[in-house]
Coordinates of all heavy atoms in Angstrom, one line a residue:
V302 N 82.8 89.5 121.4 CA 82.7 90.5 120.4 C 81.3 90.8 120.0 O 80.5 89.9 119.6 CB 83.5 90.2 119.2 CG1 83.3 91.2 118.0 CG2 85.0 90.2 119.5
I303 N 80.9 92.1 120.2 CA 79.7 92.6 119.6 C 79.8 93.8 118.8 O 80.7 94.8 119.1 CB 78.8 93.2 120.8 CG1 78.3 91.9 121.7 CG2 77.6 93.9 120.4 CD1 77.3 91.0 121.0
G352 N 98.8 82.9 122.7 CA 99.6 82.5 123.7 C 98.9 82.7 125.2 O 99.7 83.0 126.0
H362 N 89.1 97.3 109.1 CA 87.8 96.7 109.4 C 87.7 95.3 108.7 O 88.3 95.2 107.6 CB 86.6 97.6 108.8 CG 86.4 98.9 109.6 ND1 87.3 100.0 109.5 CD2 85.4 99.2 110.4 CE1 86.9 100.9 110.2 NE2 85.6 100.6 110.8
S366 N 83.3 96.0 110.1 CA 83.1 96.1 111.5 C 84.5 96.2 112.2 O 85.5 95.5 111.8 CB 82.3 95.0 112.1 OG 81.0 95.0 111.5
L373 N 88.8 87.4 116.1 CA 88.8 86.8 117.4 C 88.7 85.3 117.3 O 89.4 84.5 117.8 CB 87.6 87.3 118.3 CG 87.5 86.5 119.6 CD1 88.6 86.6 120.5 CD2 86.1 86.8 120.4
V386 N 85.4 76.7 122.4 CA 83.9 76.6 122.2 C 83.5 78.0 121.5 O 83.7 79.1 122.3 CB 83.1 76.4 123.4 CG1 81.6 76.4 123.1 CG2 83.6 75.0 124.0
K405 N 86.3 75.3 113.4 CA 85.9 73.9 113.0 C 87.1 73.2 112.5 O 87.4 72.0 112.7 CB 84.8 73.9 112.0 CG 84.1 72.6 111.8 CD 83.3 72.2 112.9 CE 82.4 71.0 112.6 NZ 81.6 70.4 113.7
E407 N 90.2 73.6 113.1 CA 91.2 73.3 114.0 C 90.7 72.5 115.1 O 91.4 72.1 116.2 CB 91.8 74.6 114.6 CG 92.5 75.5 113.7 CD 93.7 74.9 113.0 OE1 94.5 74.3 113.7 OE2 93.7 74.9 111.6
V413 N 75.7 77.4 117.2 CA 75.0 78.5 116.4 C 73.5 78.6 117.0 O 72.9 77.7 117.1 CB 74.9 78.3 115.0 CG1 74.2 79.4 114.3 CG2 76.4 78.3 114.5
D435 N 78.1 72.1 115.6 CA 77.8 70.9 116.5 C 76.4 71.0 117.2 O 75.8 70.0 117.4 CB 78.9 71.0 117.6 CG 80.3 70.8 117.1 OD1 80.6 69.5 116.8 OD2 81.0 71.7 117.0
F436 N 76.0 72.3 117.4 CA 74.6 72.5 117.9 C 74.0 73.8 117.2 O 74.7 74.7 117.0 CB 74.7 72.8 119.4 CG 74.8 71.6 120.3 CD1 76.1 71.3 120.9 CD2 73.9 70.8 120.6 CE1 76.3 70.2 121.7 CE2 74.0 69.6 121.4 CZ 75.2 69.4 122.0
E452 N 83.5 70.8 129.3 CA 83.9 69.7 130.1 C 84.5 68.6 129.2 O 85.4 67.7 129.7 CB 82.6 69.2 130.8 CG 82.2 70.1 131.9 CD 81.0 69.4 132.6 OE1 80.3 68.6 131.9 OE2 80.5 70.0 133.5
R453 N 84.2 68.6 127.9 CA 84.8 67.4 127.1 C 85.9 67.8 126.3 O 86.5 67.0 125.5 CB 83.5 67.0 126.2 CG 82.4 66.5 127.0 CD 81.3 65.9 126.1 NE 80.1 65.5 126.8 CZ 79.1 64.8 126.2 NH1 79.2 64.4 124.9 NH2 78.1 64.5 127.0
S463 N 98.9 74.8 108.4 CA 97.6 74.9 107.7 C 97.5 76.2 107.0 O 98.4 77.2 107.3 CB 96.4 74.8 108.6 OG 96.4 75.8 109.5
L465 N 95.4 78.4 107.5 CA 95.0 79.3 108.7 C 96.2 79.8 109.3 O 96.3 81.0 109.6 CB 94.1 78.6 109.7 CG 93.7 79.4 111.0 CD1 93.0 80.7 110.6 CD2 93.0 78.5 112.0
N473 N 102.6 86.9 112.9 CA 101.8 87.8 112.1 C 100.3 87.9 112.7 O 99.6 88.7 112.1 CB 101.6 87.3 110.7 CG 102.8 87.6 109.9 OD1 103.5 88.6 110.1 ND2 103.1 86.8 108.9
Q507 N 89.3 80.8 98.7 CA 88.4 79.7 98.8 C 88.7 79.0 100.0 O 89.6 78.4 100.4 CB 88.7 78.7 97.7 CG 87.7 77.5 97.7 CD 86.2 78.0 97.2 OE1 86.1 78.7 96.2 NE2 85.3 77.5 98.0
A538 N 79.7 107.3 96.0 CA 80.0 107.7 94.7 C 78.9 108.6 94.0 O 79.2 109.5 93.3 CB 80.4 106.5 93.7
Q562 N 73.4 139.8 81.3 CA 73.7 141.2 81.7 C 74.5 141.9 80.4 O 74.3 143.1 80.2 CB 74.5 141.3 82.9 CG 73.7 140.9 84.1 CD 74.5 140.9 85.4 OE1 75.8 141.0 85.2 NE2 73.9 140.6 86.5
I586 N 69.9 111.0 89.6 CA 70.7 110.5 90.8 C 70.1 110.8 92.1 O 70.1 110.0 92.9 CB 72.1 111.2 90.8 CG1 72.8 110.6 89.5 CG2 72.9 110.8 91.9 CD1 74.2 111.3 89.2
Q588 N 66.9 111.0 92.8 CA 65.8 110.0 93.0 C 66.4 108.6 93.4 O 65.8 108.0 94.2 CB 65.1 109.9 91.6 CG 64.1 111.1 91.4 CD 63.2 111.4 92.5 OE1 63.2 112.4 93.2 NE2 62.2 110.5 92.7

Side-chain angles (χ1 to χ4, degrees):
V302 167
I303 291 290
H362 289 74
S366 298
L373 172 65
V386 177
K405 191 73 171 180
E407 299 300 310
V413 176
D435 296 284
F436 282 103
E452 290 174 347
R453 299 186 184 189
S463 66
L465 173 65
N473 281 330
Q507 183 71 46
Q562 291 172 356
I586 293 177
Q588 286 302 112

